[in-house]
Amino acid sequence: MKTECLIDLLAQDDTPPQAVAPRLFLWSGLALLGSATVALSILGIRADLVAALGDPVVLMKWLLPLAIALPALRAALRLTRPQPRRVPAQHLVAAALAAGAIWLILSMLAAAPGTLWPEMRGNSLVICLTTITLISAVPLGLGLMVLRAGASPAPMRSGGLLGLGVGGLSAALYALHCNEDSPLFFLTWYGLAILIVGAAGALMGRYLLRW
Amino acid sequence: MGHDGGEAGPGWSELMRAAMAGDRPAYRLLLTRMAPVLRGLIRARAGGMDDGWCEDVVQETLMAIHLKRATWDSDQPLRPWVYAIARHKLVDAFRRRGRAVHLPVEDFAETLEAAPEPDGIERRDAATLIDRLPARDAALLRCLALEERGQAECGARLGLSPGALRVALHRALQRLARLRQEDGQ
């Protein structure tokens, strides 16, 4: 096709371009609410939620995942633009992940001999991992579809950041049910679940977000 | 150069703002002005690839500019955004050729415009690529571009209302961009 012909065609297509951010919030947000509502209506919300929110250590079950998720979503949105500009939010994500890892290592070192694994394993690690990843599945998929309209300079990183964002929000929602409050438990399994969703996002982003 | 000036009339950013507000002649003018600049930019970095290959990259860049224009922050000048798209498309085209390239971003500034595309250098046969689209998309693009008929006539021929034609054209261009990208991988 001659370049002139192509320009002719492009100039005729006046479908207004759609911004990515509002659609991401709409689709992934709705899907996240839907998935979390289903999960929580099956599992139930912990009875002592208000008391748990008052305990600073337990409060970290919400704050830490949110500290990963919010900057990750911000960075993923920033990376929908093609210019390789600075993306400061991704350093906040790294910092939050590092803080969680350091806290986990310190807790492991401080655990009394013989109690480390029982405490870490808790009673619900399988439910925890599967629920967080399942809550994330549809919002992540829809979010990737929306991000396809973007022009990421780094598709894998974009997908990974979206995954960390969705995974973090899912973990915070799952924490409304989960009553295992040992840092050894939630740092390990919430962290692992968020990383699984992040890895899934990165792998899919690598293919889906190429343009 | 390096600014939006250098040519009489409104600059690129201004034209794009008008285009995004629905001004089709402004959009066509913008794309027409961009093409030779992109051609110069890409040929200068093509490292011995022939003009047909370069023209493909120019076209892929124009399609990406069109389909991704929502990712331009309209408070910023348009040119750096355009160059980022061109650079991405050039790196991608090299990668499909199995060549890794390093194109420093800073280096991706203005180059002299290349001469207008000589006739008959397009490497990929337009017909073949368009034929790989779904039949209705192919018929629409053929009617609008290759036969250069107006939207009204093409709509009547294909039984599309003006609104349906707009949607169909947009989807067809998206599919064409994807096909072009997959082609040769």
Side-chain angles (χ1 to χ4, degrees), chain A residues 58-84:
Chain A
V58 183
L59 191 60
M60 286 298 150
K61 286 169 80 179
W62 289 278
L63 293 188
L64 210 43
L66 289 176
I68 294 167
L70 299 181
L73 291 174
R74 192 183 160 77
L77 280 174
R78 185 134 199 187
L79 279 174
T80 59
R81 299 189 192 276
Q83 286 122 305

Side-chain angles (χ1 to χ4, degrees), chain B residues 42 44-49 53 57 86-105 107-108:
Chain B
I42 285 162
R45 287 160 185 79
M49 306 302 286
W53 184 88
V57 181
R87 178 176 173 276
H88 180 92
K89 282 295 169 189
L90 187 55
V91 170
D92 195 51
F94 274 126
R95 192 186 295 138
R96 280 180 306 193
R97 273 294 180 109
R99 274 172 66 173
V101 278
H102 178 65
L103 296 171
V105 179
D107 175 51
F108 231 79

Side-chain angles (χ1 to χ4, degrees), chain A residues 20 24 70-81 87 89-90 147 152 157-163:
Chain A
V20 174
L24 181 68
L70 299 181
L73 291 174
R74 192 183 160 77
L77 280 174
R78 185 134 199 187
L79 279 174
T80 59
R81 299 189 192 276
V87 190
Q90 64 190 354
L147 285 194
S152 172
R157 200 178 345 145
S158 287
L161 286 164
L162 179 68

Side-chain angles (χ1 to χ4, degrees), chain B residues 136 140 143 150-162 165:
Chain B
R136 281 182 81 82
L140 178 61
C143 181
Q151 292 203 358
E153 192 181 340
C154 294
R157 194 202 285 187
L158 296 168
L160 292 167
S161 70
L165 183 138

Side-chain angles (χ1 to χ4, degrees), chain A residues 10-32:
Chain A
L10 299 179
Q12 289 187 51
D13 174 20
D14 56 1
T15 309
Q18 288 182 300
V20 174
R23 282 191 300 149
L24 181 68
F25 290 128
L26 176 68
W27 292 109
S28 287
L30 281 180
L32 190 65

